[in-house]
Amino acid sequence: MRIPNRYRECTVSSWRPSDGQPRRRVEEFLSEWPPSKPTLVFTGNVGAGKTHLACATLRAEFEIRGKRGQFWPTIALLDRYKATFNDDTATETAEQIDAQLRRVEVLVLDDFGTESQSKFAMERIFRLVNERYNDGAPLIVTSNIGVLDMPERVQSRLKAGVACYFDGPDMRGVK
């Protein structure tokens, strides 16, 4: 599922704080398959637990229903697409990446908004978000920027989902 080592053991119950809007929204998301609102958007402060809860949700879908997902830092996914540019060294095409991501039952895009706002980046991200929106395919997006600060085309699809604001302190390094 590509969950980074730091987040492999994360669970919804281990997320701090133990209550609050984000946790309730995740519990609602996990209560049915497919989720009636298949997009979760986690925005807010750096280190407030967005990635923890996104990975915990991905893990919970697998443990509860056997639904396989993938975790992709947005920048790493764009690097994967860029690697298709070189015909001599490319191991996959952009179309193959798109097809593989369409098959993913739950997709996490982490740190959306930290990537370059190039035409290429915006086109790839819009295409991915739009396809998942149109298919009703579960998507979890984490970002330090608010939904209203995101590019308009992406924003309109994400606003149809459930937005959760994380306003807690930076928890990195806190045990």
Side-chain angles (χ1 to χ4, degrees):
M1 291 192 293
R2 302 189 80 267
I3 295 175
N5 287 338
R6 173 178 299 277
Y7 301 102
R8 287 223 172 108
E9 301 304 316
C10 291
T11 63
V12 175
S13 63
S14 70
W15 182 76
R16 288 179 273 169
S18 61
D19 59 359
Q21 180 210 32
R23 185 167 176 173
R24 285 192 303 275
R25 297 295 185 241
V26 165
E27 289 167 348
E28 290 167 8
F29 183 86
L30 293 170
S31 71
E32 58 184 341
W33 187 266
S36 58
K37 292 256 186 178
T39 303
L40 287 175
V41 184
F42 296 161
T43 65
N45 298 345
V46 172
K50 298 178 297 291
T51 300
H52 174 127
L53 200 53
C55 290
T57 306
L58 185 61
R59 179 180 173 187
E61 281 294 7
F62 177 73
E63 290 174 351
I64 295 167
R65 294 184 183 84
K67 301 296 181 186
R68 290 209 173 265
Q70 284 192 353
F71 174 93
W72 278 98
T74 304
I75 291 174
L77 183 57
L78 289 170
D79 286 346
R80 183 178 173 197
Y81 276 110
K82 287 176 190 172
T84 68
F85 292 174
N86 189 332
D87 292 334
D88 296 332
T89 60
T91 59
E92 60 187 343
T93 66
E95 293 77 21
Q96 289 171 320
I97 296 170
D98 290 340
Q100 186 268 321
L101 292 174
R102 276 193 291 276
R103 289 189 302 271
V104 170
E105 294 175 293
V106 181
L107 179 64
V108 174
L109 287 180
D110 190 49
D111 280 334
F112 177 83
T114 58
E115 71 281 354
S116 159
Q117 298 295 308
S118 70
K119 182 179 178 184
F120 165 79
M122 296 311 346
E123 184 179 296
R124 292 310 314 168
I125 296 301
F126 171 74
R127 181 178 186 160
L128 181 59
V129 170
N130 189 55
E131 285 180 358
R132 294 196 76 82
Y133 170 80
N134 287 336
D135 292 342
L139 173 66
I140 302 168
V141 175
T142 74
S143 182
N144 294 332
I145 62 173
V147 175
L148 297 178
D149 296 320
M150 294 178 181
E152 193 172 321
R153 292 190 322 164
V154 171
Q155 178 190 127
S156 69
R157 273 76 178 167
L158 296 181
K159 284 193 315 189
V162 176
C164 303
Y165 183 72
F166 289 61
D167 62 357
D170 188 339
M171 297 299 291
R172 293 181 181 144
V174 175
K175 299 256 180 202

